Short mmCIF file of all heavy atoms in Angstrom, two decimals:
data_model
loop_
_atom_site.label_atom_id
_atom_site.label_comp_id
_atom_site.label_asym_id
_atom_site.label_seq_id
_atom_site.Cartn_x
_atom_site.Cartn_y
_atom_site.Cartn_z
N MET A 1 8.56 143.39 -117.46
CA MET A 1 8.89 142.35 -116.52
C MET A 1 9.36 142.99 -115.23
O MET A 1 10.18 143.88 -115.27
CB MET A 1 9.91 141.38 -117.11
CG MET A 1 10.33 140.26 -116.29
SD MET A 1 11.47 139.15 -117.00
CE MET A 1 10.32 138.18 -118.05
N LYS A 2 8.92 142.54 -114.05
CA LYS A 2 9.35 143.08 -112.86
C LYS A 2 10.71 142.59 -112.42
O LYS A 2 11.09 141.53 -112.81
CB LYS A 2 8.29 142.88 -111.76
CG LYS A 2 8.12 141.40 -111.34
CD LYS A 2 7.10 141.27 -110.28
CE LYS A 2 7.05 139.81 -109.83
NZ LYS A 2 6.15 139.62 -108.68
N THR A 3 11.35 143.30 -111.54
CA THR A 3 12.64 142.86 -111.03
C THR A 3 12.40 142.23 -109.70
O THR A 3 11.64 142.64 -108.87
CB THR A 3 13.59 144.13 -110.83
OG1 THR A 3 13.68 144.81 -112.04
CG2 THR A 3 14.85 143.77 -110.24
N VAL A 4 13.09 141.09 -109.57
CA VAL A 4 12.97 140.30 -108.34
C VAL A 4 14.42 140.12 -107.71
O VAL A 4 15.32 139.70 -108.38
CB VAL A 4 12.41 138.92 -108.56
CG1 VAL A 4 12.39 138.05 -107.29
CG2 VAL A 4 10.98 138.99 -109.20
N LYS A 5 14.55 140.58 -106.48
CA LYS A 5 15.82 140.46 -105.84
C LYS A 5 15.91 139.12 -105.12
O LYS A 5 14.98 138.67 -104.54
CB LYS A 5 16.03 141.59 -104.83
CG LYS A 5 16.14 142.95 -105.51
CD LYS A 5 16.44 144.04 -104.50
CE LYS A 5 16.55 145.33 -105.24
NZ LYS A 5 17.04 146.43 -104.35
N ILE A 6 17.09 138.47 -105.27
CA ILE A 6 17.31 137.21 -104.65
C ILE A 6 18.60 137.21 -103.89
O ILE A 6 19.50 138.02 -104.25
CB ILE A 6 17.20 136.04 -105.63
CG1 ILE A 6 18.33 136.25 -106.71
CG2 ILE A 6 15.91 135.91 -106.26
CD1 ILE A 6 18.56 135.00 -107.65
N SER A 7 18.78 136.36 -102.96
CA SER A 7 20.10 136.18 -102.24
C SER A 7 20.62 134.78 -102.58
O SER A 7 19.85 133.77 -102.43
CB SER A 7 19.91 136.37 -100.72
OG SER A 7 19.52 137.61 -100.37
N ILE A 8 21.91 134.75 -102.95
CA ILE A 8 22.49 133.49 -103.29
C ILE A 8 23.70 133.22 -102.37
O ILE A 8 24.54 134.15 -102.25
CB ILE A 8 22.93 133.45 -104.77
CG1 ILE A 8 21.74 133.64 -105.72
CG2 ILE A 8 23.72 132.19 -105.10
CD1 ILE A 8 22.11 133.80 -107.11
N ASP A 9 23.79 132.05 -101.87
CA ASP A 9 24.92 131.71 -101.05
C ASP A 9 25.82 130.78 -101.96
O ASP A 9 25.48 129.71 -102.30
CB ASP A 9 24.51 130.89 -99.85
CG ASP A 9 25.64 130.41 -98.98
OD1 ASP A 9 26.77 130.80 -99.22
OD2 ASP A 9 25.36 129.67 -97.96
N PRO A 10 26.95 131.33 -102.41
CA PRO A 10 27.91 130.54 -103.26
C PRO A 10 28.25 129.18 -102.72
O PRO A 10 28.58 128.24 -103.44
CB PRO A 10 29.09 131.43 -103.44
CG PRO A 10 28.70 132.75 -102.98
CD PRO A 10 27.56 132.59 -102.07
N GLU A 11 28.26 129.03 -101.43
CA GLU A 11 28.62 127.80 -100.75
C GLU A 11 27.45 126.83 -100.73
O GLU A 11 27.67 125.60 -100.45
CB GLU A 11 29.09 128.08 -99.29
CG GLU A 11 30.23 129.01 -99.17
CD GLU A 11 31.53 128.43 -99.89
OE1 GLU A 11 31.72 127.21 -99.84
OE2 GLU A 11 32.23 129.27 -100.51
N ASN A 12 26.22 127.27 -101.00
CA ASN A 12 25.06 126.38 -100.93
C ASN A 12 24.37 126.37 -102.26
O ASN A 12 23.54 127.29 -102.55
CB ASN A 12 24.16 126.90 -99.79
CG ASN A 12 22.90 125.99 -99.66
OD1 ASN A 12 22.82 125.01 -100.28
ND2 ASN A 12 22.06 126.48 -98.76
N PRO A 13 24.54 125.40 -103.14
CA PRO A 13 23.90 125.28 -104.50
C PRO A 13 22.40 125.32 -104.38
O PRO A 13 21.74 125.71 -105.33
CB PRO A 13 24.34 124.05 -105.04
CG PRO A 13 25.60 123.65 -104.26
CD PRO A 13 25.44 124.24 -102.95
N VAL A 14 21.80 124.91 -103.27
CA VAL A 14 20.29 124.86 -103.16
C VAL A 14 19.73 126.29 -103.14
O VAL A 14 18.55 126.51 -103.47
CB VAL A 14 19.94 124.10 -101.83
CG1 VAL A 14 18.43 124.14 -101.59
CG2 VAL A 14 20.50 122.73 -101.92
N SER A 15 20.56 127.29 -102.79
CA SER A 15 20.14 128.65 -102.75
C SER A 15 19.90 129.24 -104.12
O SER A 15 19.29 130.32 -104.25
CB SER A 15 21.05 129.55 -101.90
OG SER A 15 22.24 129.70 -102.60
N LEU A 16 20.43 128.61 -105.20
CA LEU A 16 20.20 129.09 -106.54
C LEU A 16 18.76 128.91 -106.98
O LEU A 16 18.30 127.78 -106.88
CB LEU A 16 21.18 128.37 -107.48
CG LEU A 16 22.65 128.61 -107.28
CD1 LEU A 16 23.48 127.77 -108.17
CD2 LEU A 16 22.96 130.08 -107.51
N PRO A 17 18.16 129.90 -107.49
CA PRO A 17 16.72 129.75 -107.94
C PRO A 17 16.63 129.00 -109.22
O PRO A 17 17.59 129.02 -110.03
CB PRO A 17 16.26 131.21 -108.15
CG PRO A 17 17.48 131.95 -108.37
CD PRO A 17 18.61 131.27 -107.64
N GLU A 18 15.51 128.30 -109.42
CA GLU A 18 15.31 127.63 -110.65
C GLU A 18 14.78 128.60 -111.68
O GLU A 18 13.98 129.51 -111.29
CB GLU A 18 14.32 126.49 -110.45
CG GLU A 18 14.89 125.32 -109.66
CD GLU A 18 13.98 124.19 -109.60
OE1 GLU A 18 13.07 124.07 -110.49
OE2 GLU A 18 14.08 123.39 -108.67
N GLY A 19 15.17 128.43 -112.94
CA GLY A 19 14.66 129.35 -113.99
C GLY A 19 13.28 128.87 -114.45
O GLY A 19 12.77 127.82 -114.07
N ARG A 20 12.61 129.82 -115.16
CA ARG A 20 11.29 129.50 -115.67
C ARG A 20 11.39 129.39 -117.24
O ARG A 20 11.84 130.32 -117.84
CB ARG A 20 10.29 130.58 -115.29
CG ARG A 20 10.05 130.55 -113.77
CD ARG A 20 9.20 131.74 -113.47
NE ARG A 20 10.04 132.92 -113.56
CZ ARG A 20 9.63 134.17 -113.57
NH1 ARG A 20 8.38 134.41 -113.45
NH2 ARG A 20 10.53 135.14 -113.66
N VAL A 21 10.99 128.22 -117.73
CA VAL A 21 11.00 128.10 -119.21
C VAL A 21 9.65 127.51 -119.70
O VAL A 21 9.14 126.62 -119.02
CB VAL A 21 12.14 127.07 -119.55
CG1 VAL A 21 12.14 126.78 -121.07
CG2 VAL A 21 13.50 127.56 -119.12
N ASP A 22 9.14 128.12 -120.76
CA ASP A 22 7.97 127.58 -121.40
C ASP A 22 8.36 126.54 -122.37
O ASP A 22 8.68 126.89 -123.56
CB ASP A 22 7.19 128.77 -122.01
CG ASP A 22 5.86 128.34 -122.62
OD1 ASP A 22 5.60 127.07 -122.79
OD2 ASP A 22 5.08 129.22 -123.05
N PHE A 23 8.49 125.35 -122.03
CA PHE A 23 8.99 124.26 -122.81
C PHE A 23 8.15 124.00 -124.07
O PHE A 23 8.64 123.70 -125.13
CB PHE A 23 9.18 122.99 -122.05
CG PHE A 23 10.35 123.03 -121.07
CD1 PHE A 23 10.16 123.15 -119.74
CD2 PHE A 23 11.65 122.99 -121.55
CE1 PHE A 23 11.19 123.25 -118.83
CE2 PHE A 23 12.75 123.07 -120.64
CZ PHE A 23 12.48 123.16 -119.34
N ASN A 24 6.84 124.23 -123.97
CA ASN A 24 5.98 124.08 -125.11
C ASN A 24 6.32 125.12 -126.20
O ASN A 24 6.40 124.80 -127.37
CB ASN A 24 4.49 124.19 -124.71
CG ASN A 24 4.06 123.03 -123.89
OD1 ASN A 24 4.54 121.91 -124.06
ND2 ASN A 24 3.05 123.27 -123.00
N ARG A 25 6.50 126.34 -125.76
CA ARG A 25 6.87 127.43 -126.69
C ARG A 25 8.26 127.13 -127.31
O ARG A 25 8.50 127.38 -128.47
CB ARG A 25 6.75 128.73 -126.02
CG ARG A 25 6.91 129.94 -126.92
CD ARG A 25 6.69 131.18 -126.19
NE ARG A 25 6.84 132.35 -127.04
CZ ARG A 25 6.78 133.54 -126.67
NH1 ARG A 25 6.54 133.87 -125.45
NH2 ARG A 25 7.02 134.54 -127.54
N LEU A 26 9.15 126.74 -126.42
CA LEU A 26 10.54 126.39 -126.83
C LEU A 26 10.55 125.32 -127.88
O LEU A 26 11.21 125.43 -128.97
CB LEU A 26 11.40 126.12 -125.66
CG LEU A 26 12.83 125.80 -125.92
CD1 LEU A 26 13.57 127.08 -126.43
CD2 LEU A 26 13.52 125.35 -124.63
N ASP A 27 9.80 124.23 -127.58
CA ASP A 27 9.73 123.11 -128.57
C ASP A 27 9.12 123.49 -129.88
O ASP A 27 9.40 122.93 -130.92
CB ASP A 27 9.00 121.95 -127.90
CG ASP A 27 9.82 121.28 -126.85
OD1 ASP A 27 11.04 121.50 -126.78
OD2 ASP A 27 9.18 120.60 -125.99
N ALA A 28 8.13 124.44 -129.82
CA ALA A 28 7.41 124.84 -131.08
C ALA A 28 8.27 125.83 -131.97
O ALA A 28 7.88 126.01 -133.08
CB ALA A 28 6.10 125.56 -130.62
N THR A 29 9.39 126.34 -131.42
CA THR A 29 10.20 127.20 -132.19
C THR A 29 10.98 126.46 -133.22
O THR A 29 11.55 125.40 -132.96
CB THR A 29 11.22 127.94 -131.32
OG1 THR A 29 10.51 128.66 -130.30
CG2 THR A 29 12.08 128.91 -132.03
N ASN A 30 10.85 126.93 -134.54
CA ASN A 30 11.58 126.27 -135.58
C ASN A 30 12.60 127.14 -136.19
O ASN A 30 12.82 128.32 -135.81
CB ASN A 30 10.55 125.80 -136.64
CG ASN A 30 9.77 126.91 -137.26
OD1 ASN A 30 10.25 128.00 -137.41
ND2 ASN A 30 8.48 126.65 -137.58
N GLU A 31 13.37 126.60 -137.17
CA GLU A 31 14.44 127.35 -137.78
C GLU A 31 13.98 128.58 -138.49
O GLU A 31 14.64 129.60 -138.55
CB GLU A 31 15.18 126.51 -138.82
CG GLU A 31 15.96 125.30 -138.12
CD GLU A 31 17.03 125.75 -137.21
OE1 GLU A 31 17.75 126.81 -137.44
OE2 GLU A 31 17.13 125.11 -136.11
N GLN A 32 12.78 128.56 -139.06
CA GLN A 32 12.19 129.76 -139.69
C GLN A 32 11.95 130.88 -138.71
O GLN A 32 12.24 132.03 -138.94
CB GLN A 32 10.95 129.41 -140.44
CG GLN A 32 10.37 130.54 -141.23
CD GLN A 32 9.11 130.08 -142.03
OE1 GLN A 32 8.69 129.00 -141.84
NE2 GLN A 32 8.61 130.98 -142.91
N ASP A 33 11.45 130.53 -137.53
CA ASP A 33 11.26 131.49 -136.43
C ASP A 33 12.54 132.16 -136.01
O ASP A 33 12.59 133.32 -135.84
CB ASP A 33 10.56 130.85 -135.23
CG ASP A 33 9.19 130.35 -135.41
OD1 ASP A 33 8.53 130.92 -136.38
OD2 ASP A 33 8.75 129.34 -134.80
N ILE A 34 13.58 131.31 -135.87
CA ILE A 34 14.89 131.80 -135.41
C ILE A 34 15.43 132.75 -136.55
O ILE A 34 15.99 133.80 -136.14
CB ILE A 34 15.80 130.58 -135.12
CG1 ILE A 34 15.30 129.87 -133.92
CG2 ILE A 34 17.27 131.12 -134.92
CD1 ILE A 34 16.04 128.56 -133.69
N ALA A 35 15.37 132.35 -137.78
CA ALA A 35 15.86 133.17 -138.84
C ALA A 35 15.17 134.48 -138.90
O ALA A 35 15.81 135.54 -139.15
CB ALA A 35 15.74 132.42 -140.18
N ALA A 36 13.87 134.48 -138.73
CA ALA A 36 13.08 135.72 -138.74
C ALA A 36 13.48 136.66 -137.60
O ALA A 36 13.66 137.86 -137.73
CB ALA A 36 11.56 135.44 -138.69
N GLN A 37 13.76 136.07 -136.41
CA GLN A 37 14.17 136.91 -135.27
C GLN A 37 15.60 137.46 -135.50
O GLN A 37 15.90 138.63 -135.20
CB GLN A 37 14.16 136.03 -133.99
CG GLN A 37 14.49 136.89 -132.76
CD GLN A 37 13.51 137.95 -132.50
OE1 GLN A 37 12.30 137.72 -132.45
NE2 GLN A 37 13.92 139.19 -132.31
N GLN A 38 16.44 136.66 -136.10
CA GLN A 38 17.83 137.15 -136.39
C GLN A 38 17.73 138.32 -137.39
O GLN A 38 18.47 139.32 -137.22
CB GLN A 38 18.70 136.02 -136.99
CG GLN A 38 19.06 135.01 -136.00
CD GLN A 38 19.84 133.83 -136.60
OE1 GLN A 38 19.55 133.42 -137.76
NE2 GLN A 38 20.85 133.25 -135.86
N HIS A 39 16.92 138.19 -138.41
CA HIS A 39 16.78 139.24 -139.40
C HIS A 39 16.25 140.49 -138.70
O HIS A 39 16.81 141.63 -138.93
CB HIS A 39 15.82 138.83 -140.50
CG HIS A 39 15.59 139.88 -141.51
ND1 HIS A 39 16.54 140.33 -142.46
CD2 HIS A 39 14.48 140.64 -141.81
CE1 HIS A 39 16.02 141.31 -143.20
NE2 HIS A 39 14.76 141.45 -142.80
N SER A 40 15.31 140.36 -137.82
CA SER A 40 14.74 141.50 -137.15
C SER A 40 15.77 142.12 -136.25
O SER A 40 15.95 143.41 -136.20
CB SER A 40 13.58 141.07 -136.25
OG SER A 40 13.11 142.10 -135.50
N ASP A 41 16.56 141.33 -135.52
CA ASP A 41 17.61 141.84 -134.66
C ASP A 41 18.71 142.58 -135.43
O ASP A 41 19.13 143.66 -135.06
CB ASP A 41 18.26 140.73 -133.88
CG ASP A 41 17.41 140.12 -132.80
OD1 ASP A 41 16.33 140.69 -132.53
OD2 ASP A 41 17.74 138.95 -132.32
N GLU A 42 19.12 142.06 -136.63
CA GLU A 42 20.08 142.66 -137.44
C GLU A 42 19.56 143.99 -138.03
O GLU A 42 20.34 144.95 -138.04
CB GLU A 42 20.55 141.76 -138.54
CG GLU A 42 21.32 140.60 -138.05
CD GLU A 42 21.59 139.51 -139.08
OE1 GLU A 42 21.12 139.67 -140.24
OE2 GLU A 42 22.22 138.49 -138.75
N THR A 43 18.32 144.02 -138.44
CA THR A 43 17.72 145.27 -138.96
C THR A 43 17.67 146.29 -137.86
O THR A 43 18.02 147.50 -138.11
CB THR A 43 16.30 144.96 -139.51
OG1 THR A 43 16.41 143.98 -140.51
CG2 THR A 43 15.67 146.23 -139.99
N ASN A 44 17.23 145.92 -136.69
CA ASN A 44 17.17 146.90 -135.58
C ASN A 44 18.58 147.40 -135.19
O ASN A 44 18.74 148.62 -134.85
CB ASN A 44 16.48 146.26 -134.35
CG ASN A 44 15.07 146.13 -134.56
OD1 ASN A 44 14.37 146.84 -135.36
ND2 ASN A 44 14.45 145.18 -133.88
N ALA A 45 19.61 146.59 -135.23
CA ALA A 45 20.99 146.96 -134.94
C ALA A 45 21.43 148.00 -135.99
O ALA A 45 22.09 149.03 -135.61
CB ALA A 45 21.91 145.76 -134.93
N MET A 46 21.14 147.77 -137.24
CA MET A 46 21.53 148.71 -138.27
C MET A 46 20.82 150.07 -138.11
O MET A 46 21.44 151.13 -138.26
CB MET A 46 21.29 148.14 -139.65
CG MET A 46 22.27 147.03 -140.03
SD MET A 46 22.12 146.58 -141.80
CE MET A 46 20.67 145.55 -141.67
N LEU A 47 19.59 150.01 -137.75
CA LEU A 47 18.79 151.27 -137.51
C LEU A 47 19.31 152.02 -136.35
O LEU A 47 19.50 153.28 -136.39
CB LEU A 47 17.31 150.98 -137.33
CG LEU A 47 16.60 150.49 -138.58
CD1 LEU A 47 15.14 150.07 -138.26
CD2 LEU A 47 16.55 151.61 -139.65
N ASP A 48 19.67 151.31 -135.27
CA ASP A 48 20.27 151.95 -134.09
C ASP A 48 21.63 152.60 -134.39
O ASP A 48 21.89 153.72 -133.99
CB ASP A 48 20.47 150.92 -132.97
CG ASP A 48 19.15 150.50 -132.33
OD1 ASP A 48 18.17 151.21 -132.52
OD2 ASP A 48 19.14 149.51 -131.62
N ALA A 49 22.42 151.91 -135.22
CA ALA A 49 23.70 152.47 -135.63
C ALA A 49 23.48 153.74 -136.47
O ALA A 49 24.25 154.74 -136.32
CB ALA A 49 24.53 151.37 -136.38
N ALA A 50 22.57 153.61 -137.37
CA ALA A 50 22.31 154.84 -138.24
C ALA A 50 21.87 156.04 -137.40
O ALA A 50 22.23 157.14 -137.63
CB ALA A 50 21.25 154.46 -139.28
N LYS A 51 21.04 155.81 -136.37
CA LYS A 51 20.56 156.89 -135.50
C LYS A 51 21.75 157.53 -134.81
O LYS A 51 21.80 158.78 -134.66
CB LYS A 51 19.55 156.39 -134.52
CG LYS A 51 18.20 156.07 -135.13
CD LYS A 51 17.23 155.53 -134.02
CE LYS A 51 15.91 155.03 -134.67
NZ LYS A 51 15.09 154.42 -133.66
N VAL A 52 22.67 156.68 -134.22
CA VAL A 52 23.82 157.23 -133.59
C VAL A 52 24.68 158.07 -134.56
O VAL A 52 25.17 159.17 -134.14
CB VAL A 52 24.64 156.05 -132.99
CG1 VAL A 52 26.00 156.61 -132.51
CG2 VAL A 52 23.89 155.37 -131.92
N VAL A 53 24.91 157.62 -135.71
CA VAL A 53 25.69 158.36 -136.71
C VAL A 53 25.03 159.64 -137.00
O VAL A 53 25.68 160.77 -137.10
CB VAL A 53 25.94 157.52 -138.00
CG1 VAL A 53 26.51 158.34 -139.08
CG2 VAL A 53 26.86 156.32 -137.69
N MET A 54 23.71 159.65 -137.27
CA MET A 54 22.98 160.86 -137.58
C MET A 54 23.02 161.88 -136.46
O MET A 54 23.23 163.06 -136.63
CB MET A 54 21.52 160.55 -137.93
CG MET A 54 21.39 159.79 -139.24
SD MET A 54 22.01 160.64 -140.71
CE MET A 54 20.88 162.03 -140.75
N GLU A 55 22.88 161.36 -135.19
CA GLU A 55 22.95 162.28 -134.06
C GLU A 55 24.31 162.87 -133.96
O GLU A 55 24.51 164.05 -133.61
CB GLU A 55 22.57 161.54 -132.80
CG GLU A 55 21.14 161.19 -132.74
CD GLU A 55 20.78 160.21 -131.56
OE1 GLU A 55 21.70 159.86 -130.80
OE2 GLU A 55 19.63 159.86 -131.46
N HIS A 56 25.39 162.07 -134.21
CA HIS A 56 26.76 162.58 -134.13
C HIS A 56 26.95 163.66 -135.16
O HIS A 56 27.52 164.71 -134.93
CB HIS A 56 27.76 161.39 -134.31
CG HIS A 56 29.18 161.90 -134.30
ND1 HIS A 56 29.80 162.30 -133.20
CD2 HIS A 56 30.11 162.05 -135.36
CE1 HIS A 56 31.03 162.69 -133.54
NE2 HIS A 56 31.20 162.52 -134.83
N CYS A 57 26.52 163.35 -136.46
CA CYS A 57 26.64 164.33 -137.55
C CYS A 57 25.93 165.59 -137.21
O CYS A 57 26.41 166.74 -137.47
CB CYS A 57 26.18 163.73 -138.85
SG CYS A 57 27.23 162.40 -139.45
N ASP A 58 24.70 165.49 -136.69
CA ASP A 58 23.92 166.64 -136.36
C ASP A 58 24.71 167.53 -135.33
O ASP A 58 24.70 168.75 -135.38
CB ASP A 58 22.58 166.27 -135.87
CG ASP A 58 21.59 165.79 -136.97
OD1 ASP A 58 21.89 166.02 -138.14
OD2 ASP A 58 20.55 165.21 -136.63
N SER A 59 25.20 166.88 -134.35
CA SER A 59 25.90 167.65 -133.23
C SER A 59 27.13 168.24 -133.82
O SER A 59 27.53 169.39 -133.43
CB SER A 59 26.18 166.72 -132.09
OG SER A 59 27.22 165.81 -132.43
N GLN A 60 27.86 167.56 -134.69
CA GLN A 60 29.03 168.17 -135.32
C GLN A 60 28.67 169.40 -136.17
O GLN A 60 29.34 170.41 -136.15
CB GLN A 60 29.75 167.12 -136.22
CG GLN A 60 30.38 166.08 -135.39
CD GLN A 60 31.44 166.53 -134.43
OE1 GLN A 60 32.30 167.32 -134.85
NE2 GLN A 60 31.37 166.08 -133.20
N ILE A 61 27.56 169.28 -136.87
CA ILE A 61 27.13 170.44 -137.75
C ILE A 61 26.71 171.63 -136.82
O ILE A 61 27.04 172.73 -137.10
CB ILE A 61 25.97 170.03 -138.65
CG1 ILE A 61 26.50 169.03 -139.70
CG2 ILE A 61 25.28 171.27 -139.31
CD1 ILE A 61 25.39 168.36 -140.44
N ARG A 62 26.00 171.38 -135.72
CA ARG A 62 25.58 172.43 -134.82
C ARG A 62 26.77 173.11 -134.23
O ARG A 62 26.77 174.25 -133.87
CB ARG A 62 24.67 171.86 -133.80
CG ARG A 62 23.23 171.64 -134.29
CD ARG A 62 22.30 171.43 -133.12
NE ARG A 62 22.64 170.30 -132.33
CZ ARG A 62 22.28 168.98 -132.55
NH1 ARG A 62 21.54 168.73 -133.61
NH2 ARG A 62 22.66 167.98 -131.79
N ASN A 63 27.87 172.37 -133.96
CA ASN A 63 29.08 172.87 -133.26
C ASN A 63 29.99 173.53 -134.24
O ASN A 63 31.04 174.13 -133.83
CB ASN A 63 29.79 171.77 -132.49
CG ASN A 63 28.95 171.31 -131.32
OD1 ASN A 63 28.16 172.05 -130.74
ND2 ASN A 63 29.14 170.05 -130.91
N THR A 64 29.73 173.50 -135.54
CA THR A 64 30.66 174.13 -136.51
C THR A 64 30.33 175.59 -136.63
O THR A 64 29.15 176.02 -136.77
CB THR A 64 30.45 173.43 -137.88
OG1 THR A 64 30.71 172.04 -137.78
CG2 THR A 64 31.40 174.04 -138.90
N GLN A 65 31.33 176.42 -136.49
CA GLN A 65 31.11 177.86 -136.63
C GLN A 65 31.32 178.25 -138.05
O GLN A 65 32.30 177.88 -138.75
CB GLN A 65 32.13 178.60 -135.73
CG GLN A 65 31.90 178.37 -134.29
CD GLN A 65 32.92 179.16 -133.44
OE1 GLN A 65 33.91 179.75 -133.96
NE2 GLN A 65 32.76 179.15 -132.13
N LEU A 66 30.40 179.03 -138.56
CA LEU A 66 30.50 179.57 -139.88
C LEU A 66 31.28 180.87 -139.90
O LEU A 66 31.09 181.75 -139.05
CB LEU A 66 29.15 179.80 -140.53
CG LEU A 66 28.31 178.51 -140.66
CD1 LEU A 66 26.91 178.90 -141.15
CD2 LEU A 66 28.93 177.51 -141.57
N TYR A 67 32.20 181.08 -140.82
CA TYR A 67 32.97 182.30 -140.89
C TYR A 67 32.41 183.28 -141.81
O TYR A 67 31.86 183.11 -142.85
CB TYR A 67 34.44 181.94 -141.32
CG TYR A 67 35.13 181.07 -140.32
CD1 TYR A 67 35.29 179.75 -140.53
CD2 TYR A 67 35.61 181.66 -139.15
CE1 TYR A 67 35.90 178.95 -139.58
CE2 TYR A 67 36.25 180.92 -138.22
CZ TYR A 67 36.40 179.51 -138.45
OH TYR A 67 37.03 178.79 -137.54
#
């Protein structure tokens, strides 16, 4: 998605851009779709956390001096 720069005048509400929503797609979303997305998000969050832990452990092992 490209970045679009806008200027907003806080004193002038007309300067606020309107959002874009695909109402057909929004209306077609059901609870099962939402639950599947939540599950996917939670799984990805756990995988990201595991990667951070593994990277930290690897760096600690590399920095440990053997006697």
Side-chain angles (χ1 to χ4, degrees):
M1 183 177 278
K2 67 179 184 173
T3 301
V4 177
K5 293 185 179 187
I6 59 171
S7 297
I8 298 174
D9 179 5
E11 302 296 322
N12 183 5
V14 177
S15 69
L16 295 172
E18 290 187 22
R20 292 174 288 166
V21 177
D22 182 350
F23 287 106
N24 292 329
R25 188 172 179 187
L26 184 62
D27 290 340
T29 303
N30 58 34
E31 293 298 321
Q32 186 177 5
D33 295 332
I34 294 169
Q37 185 63 52
Q38 285 175 328
H39 177 69
S40 175
D41 289 346
E42 291 170 2
T43 301
N44 288 334
M46 285 189 282
L47 289 172
D48 288 344
K51 287 178 187 176
V52 169
V53 169
M54 292 300 293
E55 289 170 3
H56 177 74
C57 291
D58 287 345
S59 70
Q60 291 299 311
I61 291 169
R62 282 192 300 273
N63 292 331
T64 302
Q65 295 180 352
L66 299 175
Y67 296 101

